[in-house]
Amino acid sequence: MDDMTRFDMDDAARAILAKNDRGGYTVPTDRLYPFQWNWDSAFVAMGFATYDVDRAYRELERLAEGQWDDGMIPHIVFHAPSDTYFPGPDVWGTKHRIPTSGITQPPVFGMALRCVHEAATEAGLPDARERSRVLFQAALRHHRWWLSARDPDGTGLVAILHPWESGSDNSPAWDVAFARVPTDTRTAIRRRDLGHVDSAMRPHDIDYQRFIHLVDLYRECGWDPAVQWARTPFKVAEIQMTSILARSTADLLVLAEGLGTTDERSELRGMLDRLVAGLARRWRPRLNRFVSLDLISGEDIEAPTQAGFMPLLAVTLDDAQREAVAAEIARWCDNAVGALPSTPSFSPVFEPKRYWRGPIWAVINWLAADGLRSNGLPQLATSLDRAIVRAIERTGFFEYFDPVTGEGAGGDAFSWTAAAYLVLRRRAGNGASDKGS
Ligand code: GLC
């Protein structure tokens, strides 16, 4: 692709973010996801930071409006009503000042804050310091919530209580643990997603029954973390979540140099040490990757998914691990797109188009590439960046990509894919062209 076309693609990415803007926050895509989503917005903020730092701050500030008094930042903030999505605010029945869901999502917030703060400082934005300081405090309260509500026993791994929290909604990683969740619901299920995209790309009805069973249960627990912890049938100490939390903690630690107190710095250092130690214990040499832990059965979750490589965001691998991971990732990427899939094609449950059971996500590759760079594997990192840039340039700003054919799938005009393009294209350099691929 020549430079001229590249500039057009940059414009197209910005146009998607503008089109999905609903007033200082960005919906993931029209209709299918008509509210503000937590980790989507954090990635979007980093996309905005490449050309409009004021708007990048706004994205995080609007997300922080949804933060609960206990520090939790919800996975959805329902700033304005919409009837194109289920389950809406009435099903969640939460009590925050503005309607929100009652569960959370990966805390990319801290990573995004560092990125936005650095861009704003470089651009000389006059109120950067004050805005960063307020958001830094929100992030710190959020991290404290994570460690107390989701790792009450101090293991160094934080747990998810709902597959939607992971951001990888119907990943094969949950199959065994999720099968224990009953399928009866108090809420009538009125799926809206199937009106927007093909059912072959979406979770099954029985998955939705379990998703909603858990929402019903937690609503009955009054959204009290301790009661939920005691009563839930689904509790996974999850490595992707813990890795993102750890990476964000490391980023907050850097920000704390200028924005925090001595006590806050040592608190963050303590959190980071605990999380990194927790992650390091999850390495399995036999599998060449890390594994999550099912806290109900006490068993390792061995299903191969992208999560197995996310600890690279926070853990420093030794030489043997580095070599093993590089070979394993290269094996998984041996597909049409050349990027890291959510489930590898050699898995018996691989489905190239169904949500999180095969497809390639731009933001997952963004994180994987960050982890590879931190671990001295810059070439492999750049090859992931480039593969994503190419996939987008070939087929468009889709929600995700089929690893076998390279086609875009799921929702179109997707915000985090546009943000990923803006960021990854810059760091992928010119080698992202179609030539030689
Ligand atoms: C789906 C994805 C989740 C994402 C949301 C909005 O639920 O699984 O990760 O945040 O869509 O894009």
Side-chain angles (χ1 to χ4, degrees):
M1 181 168 282
D2 60 31
D3 280 351
M4 204 53 220
T5 326
R6 280 263 159 73
F7 288 130
D8 294 347
M9 286 296 287
D10 259 22
D11 283 348
R14 293 174 194 194
I16 287 171
L17 296 184
K19 173 172 155 306
N20 290 341
D21 187 323
R22 296 289 181 276
Y25 71 93
T26 311
V27 298
T29 188
D30 195 32
R31 298 183 64 77
L32 181 61
Y33 298 114
F35 308 107
Q36 184 174 25
W37 256 258
N38 180 331
W39 72 327
D40 296 62
S41 273
F43 287 111
V44 161
M46 293 192 264
F48 275 127
T50 64
Y51 65 100
D52 183 350
V53 272
D54 174 64
R55 183 60 185 78
Y57 271 124
R58 242 3 246 137
E59 191 74 30
L60 296 179
E61 288 161 353
R62 297 242 47 197
L63 182 59
E65 287 172 20
Q67 183 168 32
W68 290 13
D69 292 340
D70 68 0
M72 200 271 280
I73 300 184
H75 100 296
I76 305 175
V77 185
F78 300 108
H79 291 288
S82 164
D83 60 7
T84 64
Y85 178 84
F86 173 87
D90 49 322
V91 178
W92 293 96
T94 59
K95 294 184 197 68
H96 188 60
R97 291 176 287 282
I98 44 176
T100 70
S101 71
I103 57 172
T104 188
Q105 254 191 338
V108 180
F109 192 94
M111 296 168 56
L113 178 57
R114 177 177 172 191
C115 164
V116 173
H117 175 78
E118 288 175 353
T121 310
E122 204 182 306
L125 199 75
D127 54 357
R129 201 180 153 70
E130 200 34 46
R131 293 173 90 174
S132 290
R133 202 195 289 275
V134 172
L135 293 172
F136 171 81
Q137 286 302 325
L140 186 57
R141 284 198 303 279
H142 187 43
H143 286 218
R144 286 179 185 138
W145 174 86
W146 266 112
L147 291 182
S148 62
R150 297 307 181 82
D151 182 23
D153 302 326
T155 66
L157 295 171
V158 291
I160 57 166
L161 304 186
H162 196 298
W164 286 344
E165 293 198 306
S166 69
S168 311
D169 304 10
N170 62 329
S171 168
W174 324 132
D175 285 359
V176 175
F178 200 43
R180 287 185 219 114
V181 175
T183 53
D184 60 300
T185 62
R186 289 183 197 286
T187 302
I189 298 180
R190 300 205 166 82
R191 292 184 68 170
R192 298 276 194 263
D193 55 325
L194 302 181
H196 312 306
V197 294
D198 186 342
S199 63
M201 298 182 188
R202 300 287 307 177
H204 296 285
D205 282 344
I206 193 164
D207 299 325
Y208 259 79
Q209 289 168 293
R210 294 193 166 104
F211 290 147
I212 298 303
H213 178 97
L214 290 176
V215 174
D216 286 343
L217 172 65
Y218 300 151
R219 193 182 56 239
E220 282 160 22
C221 295
W223 299 108
D224 178 325
V227 182
Q228 290 171 255
W229 187 266
R231 288 188 53 192
T232 184
F234 180 87
K235 193 169 7 181
V236 172
E238 212 268 309
I239 48 173
Q240 177 165 291
M241 190 68 90
T242 306
S243 305
I244 291 172
L245 181 65
R247 179 66 167 230
S248 277
T249 305
D251 285 340
L252 292 183
L253 196 52
V254 172
L255 288 175
E257 289 300 323
L259 302 173
T261 63
T262 314
D263 284 353
E264 287 164 350
R265 281 198 291 279
S266 50
E267 184 184 358
L268 286 163
R269 167 52 58 202
M271 284 182 188
L272 183 58
D273 290 347
R274 168 170 152 188
L275 296 169
V276 170
L279 286 167
R281 286 193 284 273
R282 306 308 300 160
W283 170 255
R284 295 294 174 271
R286 182 172 56 80
L287 301 172
N288 300 324
R289 56 186 161 84
F290 295 80
V291 297
S292 290
L293 174 65
D294 183 336
L295 291 176
I296 304 287
S297 67
E299 285 178 6
D300 281 2
I301 296 178
E302 293 197 351
T305 74
Q306 86 288 340
F309 305 111
M310 289 301 147
L312 274 70
L313 283 166
V315 170
T316 305
L317 303 179
D318 64 29
D319 290 347
Q321 288 173 324
R322 191 177 308 111
E323 223 171 276
V325 160
E328 188 66 8
I329 290 187
R331 176 163 89 105
W332 287 39
C333 292
D334 188 13
N335 54 48
V337 179
L340 182 68
S342 46
T343 299
S345 54
F346 59 78
S347 160
V349 297
F350 172 75
E351 290 182 84
K353 282 203 173 54
R354 197 183 302 278
Y355 239 53
W356 297 103
R357 302 181 78 84
I360 285 168
W361 261 263
V363 295
I364 291 296
N365 278 268
W366 176 348
L367 294 174
D370 282 349
L372 288 167
R373 277 200 185 88
S374 315
N375 273 284
L377 292 163
Q379 285 178 338
L380 192 49
T382 302
S383 77
L384 298 189
D385 290 343
R386 289 182 176 169
I388 293 300
V389 169
R390 273 200 310 269
I392 296 171
E393 289 180 350
R394 281 184 186 152
T395 71
F397 297 93
F398 282 92
E399 184 175 8
Y400 55 81
F401 299 88
D402 178 326
V404 176
T405 64
E407 301 161 79
D412 191 2
F414 226 84
S415 297
W416 69 8
T417 309
Y421 184 80
L422 292 167
V423 171
L424 302 190
R425 218 257 304 148
R426 272 164 186 72
R427 66 189 202 188
N430 287 329
S433 80
D434 274 345
K435 275 184 256 125
S437 59

